[in-house]
Amino acid sequence: GAILLCVGFAAVPHARIEGVDAVAVGTAIVVLLSIARQRVLIVRERLTSLRLQGEERLRAEKEAAEAANLAKSQFLARMSHEIRTPMNAILGNAGLLNEAVLGPAERESVEAIETAGQTLLTIINDVLDFSKIEANRMELEEVGFAPASLIASVVSLFGVPARDRGLKLATDIDPSIPVILAGDPHRLQQIMSNLVGNAIKFTPEGSVTVRARVDSRTADETVLRFEVTDTGIGIDAAGRARLFTPFVQVDSSATRRFDGTGLGLAICRRLVGLMGGEIDVSSTPGVGSTFWFTARLATPSDVEAGDVLLANENVVRTAGLAGARVLVAEDNIANQRLIERLLTKLGIQPTVVVNGRNAIDSVRAGSFDLVLMDCHMPEMDGFDATRAIRAEGFQIPVVALTADAMSGDRETCLAAGMNDYLSKPIVNSALHATLRRWLPESREIGPLAASAMAAAGLVEGGGLIDLRQITELFALDPDGSAGFLPAMVESYEMTLAETLPGIRAALAAGDPEALDDSAHKLKGVAANLGVRRVFDCAARLVALARSGTTAGGEPILAELEVALGPAAEALAALIAAAAIPPQADSQAA
């Protein structure tokens, strides 16, 4: 518009406005506007250039950040693998040594190795968990579990440390909590273990109490509230404000005498958030603290109580595993020996090879039920070996056996054609669960076993004997030539004769340590034979003892004594059936 106005002035050359030459004014204005337009174009070009430079710089910074994050993840994965591989051998062999007959000094040394190894493993796991959470790659599973048993498991785990510090470890469980819920029991146990462990660590005297109750409930969902209350040193307001911050300790000067990475509570907060809950603390310095959190858990519609693995059942059922043939592809000698021993103890026949190429040759030549495949081996790694096995049409289950534990590693294994993923260090319960998941459920155990199992089936209906466990015992001695079952029953009866008076005496004296010792022995032999009710009562007595008390043990003892007679009759019937040759049994029929 201004340009048109100037052109208008210039078009009237003789016009004068109060003595001013309109043409000159218009020309000057046009020149000025032209200069201004050029300046605007220059500024616009500079702004565009600056914007493009800024976008390029942001893109470069983003790529650099992503590269740094990837490098961090790769570093964590690599270091995790390098540390977990020897840790697998250390913890695995220490566990096996602990089962051997050792003197007091030797057992103390082995326990020190286990404790130090578990501490190091906890630090590794914390760092990896935090890395997964930061990358939004933490995923929760949803399986059926028994909340009361999970709590008992945590209390049992910390019973000895609490007793060593002279603390009373107690529980207060709302009886209205559903028997079975669905969620991630391992992560739930991780949160509770962290809170209980911290409470014991920061409580010089007094007690630690674990409480659980129903916060709210609908037809499909139950919200549980867990509390851990201690009489410890307490936390002031400033400390509470930064309590859940990663890598931060409440008081770096006073509490540095307590070990820790400062990650535990930060991880707990993220896990609770993933469970749809909240976590917080109330505390008074010098009086104590109460940490609480909530978790939303589903009400399972298709989970049978018998299908749920109780968290306080330390002896894992390994029915149907005996006699299986497992190919182990592993290049580390220490891990080879450890895995061989673990499998052999289950009655499994292991065959070990040192690389993926040998694994392929063995699958071609042999008849195996399962392959445990290390991912990183010389000549050919586990990924390429699995791809080759699948390319040749073999459908044998392949389970990754690896120290890699970063987010995405499981997916990489599955993408290569593997069926499952087992990380190192190998945890017995995880190994057993994986083997049960992929090995055939039943094995040929011979006519003698079939005859005895038929008779045992008559008493199994009352829930007295776990036939899956008896099946495994028969698989270890299919023709009865070793007298394996009678020897196991004799061991059970001898242990019962030894421990039952000890349990009675410990309850009468109010001695939790003595109760723990006797009940734990009975629990082990009852588990080996699958004597369900005796095992259950013994396990409850162990949990009670490790909570630091014997109160409430008399009713459990009464249940135990009632179960003894029917259990003895069931075992006697089983042995009698096993003693009858199948031919004679069929002729008598």
Side-chain angles (χ1 to χ4, degrees):
I3 293 175
L4 291 175
L5 179 62
C6 294
V7 171
F9 273 112
V12 187
H14 300 293
R16 291 183 179 276
I17 301 175
E18 296 181 357
V20 178
D21 189 337
V23 174
V25 171
T27 301
I29 291 174
V30 170
V31 171
L32 291 174
L33 288 175
S34 177
I35 294 172
R37 182 174 180 275
Q38 291 177 354
R39 293 291 178 87
V40 169
L41 292 175
I42 292 172
V43 170
R44 182 181 297 172
E45 289 176 359
R46 288 180 178 176
L47 289 175
T48 300
S49 176
L50 289 173
R51 178 176 60 81
L52 293 175
Q53 291 176 11
E55 290 176 354
E56 183 62 28
R57 185 166 57 252
L58 288 174
R59 186 181 301 109
E61 291 175 354
K62 180 182 178 182
E63 290 175 354
E66 290 175 348
N69 191 49
L70 178 60
K72 180 190 73 173
S73 297
Q74 291 175 339
F75 172 77
L76 288 174
R78 187 178 303 111
M79 292 307 299
S80 167
H81 183 276
E82 294 303 320
I83 295 173
R84 281 173 177 271
T85 296
M87 284 299 298
N88 179 57
I90 292 170
L91 290 176
N93 284 288
L96 290 171
L97 275 175
N98 239 338
E99 298 176 4
V101 178
L102 300 174
E106 290 80 5
R107 185 167 299 280
E108 184 177 348
S109 296
V110 172
E111 289 175 351
I113 293 172
E114 279 194 304
T115 300
Q118 289 293 347
T119 299
L120 178 57
L121 187 59
T122 298
I123 295 173
I124 297 170
N125 289 338
D126 281 351
V127 173
L128 291 175
D129 280 347
F130 187 74
S131 178
K132 291 178 184 179
I133 291 170
E134 288 293 288
N136 294 319
R137 298 296 297 272
M138 176 66 75
E139 296 180 359
L140 301 183
E141 62 179 353
E142 185 167 304
V143 297
F145 70 98
S149 294
L150 186 143
I151 296 169
S153 175
V154 173
V155 171
S156 176
L157 179 66
F158 288 96
V160 173
R163 189 162 59 239
D164 290 344
R165 291 178 65 87
L167 303 176
K168 178 183 178 183
L169 180 58
T171 58
D172 179 9
I173 312 300
D174 182 354
S176 68
I177 292 177
V179 176
I180 302 297
L181 290 172
D184 193 326
H186 302 294
R187 294 300 182 183
L188 196 59
Q189 187 171 12
Q190 178 181 348
I191 298 168
M192 294 180 62
S193 296
N194 189 283
L195 298 183
V196 174
N198 281 348
I200 292 174
K201 184 193 302 184
F202 293 103
T203 303
E205 60 181 0
S207 64
V208 174
T209 303
V210 181
R211 297 185 176 88
R213 64 179 176 82
V214 175
D215 199 56
S216 64
R217 180 186 295 174
T218 65
D220 301 322
E221 182 181 78
T222 299
V223 179
L224 295 186
R225 179 184 174 96
F226 300 88
E227 297 180 356
V228 178
T229 300
D230 64 62
T231 58
I233 61 177
I235 310 167
D236 59 23
R240 293 195 300 273
R242 59 180 186 274
L243 193 60
F244 297 97
T245 303
F247 301 105
V248 173
Q249 288 195 332
V250 174
D251 186 338
S252 59
S253 61
T255 63
R256 278 306 300 169
R257 67 181 183 274
F258 301 106
D259 295 331
T261 61
L263 279 177
L265 290 177
I267 293 172
C268 287
R269 183 182 64 176
R270 303 293 183 90
L271 291 176
V272 168
L274 291 175
M275 294 180 182
E278 299 176 306
I279 186 170
D280 209 342
V281 60
S282 59
S283 183
T284 303
V287 176
S289 307
T290 295
F291 282 82
W292 63 267
F293 72 95
T294 57
R296 296 182 179 275
L297 303 169
T299 302
S301 57
D302 59 348
V303 177
E304 297 290 339
D307 294 332
V308 178
L309 180 62
L310 300 183
N312 67 342
E313 193 169 328
N314 293 325
V315 180
V316 181
R317 309 294 186 198
T318 55
L321 302 185
R325 296 192 64 207
V326 172
L327 176 65
V328 180
E330 167 66 63
D331 64 307
N332 184 279
I333 296 177
N335 285 333
Q336 288 175 3
R337 293 173 178 170
L338 172 63
I339 297 168
E340 276 188 293
R341 291 182 66 184
L342 292 174
L343 295 178
T344 302
K345 283 186 64 178
L346 299 175
I348 292 173
Q349 303 173 29
T351 298
V352 178
V353 295
V354 298
N355 59 53
R357 199 174 304 282
N358 291 345
I360 296 171
D361 293 339
S362 297
V363 170
R364 289 171 181 160
S367 177
F368 294 98
D369 299 301
L370 177 74
V371 179
L372 292 177
M373 183 78 77
D374 187 25
C375 291
H376 302 287
M377 294 179 289
E379 293 192 36
M380 178 181 286
D381 64 25
F383 300 114
D384 289 340
T386 303
R387 293 187 187 100
I389 289 171
R390 296 296 182 235
E392 295 188 19
F394 293 103
Q395 298 304 312
I396 181 173
V398 178
V399 175
L401 186 64
T402 176
D404 292 337
M406 289 298 295
S407 179
D409 291 328
R410 180 184 181 89
E411 291 74 14
T412 302
C413 294
L414 297 180
M418 298 178 181
N419 300 88
D420 210 340
Y421 176 98
L422 191 61
S423 65
K424 301 173 185 175
I426 298 172
V427 179
N428 268 336
S429 59
L431 173 64
H432 295 173
T434 302
L435 293 173
R436 288 199 314 276
R437 189 156 50 241
W438 295 107
L439 285 175
E441 293 183 0
S442 60
R443 319 212 73 78
E444 183 60 45
I445 59 175
L448 175 64
S451 173
M453 296 303 292
L458 299 176
V459 298
E460 196 276 338
L464 299 172
I465 302 293
D466 187 341
L467 288 188
R468 294 173 301 172
Q469 192 70 6
I470 298 298
T471 301
E472 181 180 355
L473 296 180
F474 272 117
L476 292 172
D477 182 21
D479 59 1
S481 59
F484 201 63
L485 180 62
M488 292 291 291
V489 173
E490 182 180 1
S491 174
Y492 162 76
E493 291 173 345
M494 290 176 60
T495 303
L496 186 63
E498 173 193 349
T499 58
L500 197 57
I503 291 172
R504 294 192 184 106
L507 290 175
D511 187 343
E513 189 170 354
L515 177 61
D516 183 6
D517 182 61
S518 294
H520 187 268
K521 291 178 182 176
L522 179 57
K523 173 185 169 184
V525 295
N528 289 336
L529 274 173
V531 187
R532 291 173 172 169
R533 295 179 187 175
V534 175
F535 169 83
D536 178 66
C537 292
R540 287 156 60 195
L541 287 172
V542 169
L544 180 68
R546 293 185 180 181
S547 71
T549 183
T550 61
E554 293 292 346
I556 302 176
L557 174 60
E559 288 182 46
L560 172 60
E561 290 175 330
V562 168
L564 291 177
E569 293 176 5
L571 291 173
L574 189 62
I575 292 177
I580 302 173
Q583 296 82 358
D585 185 49
S586 61
Q587 291 170 1

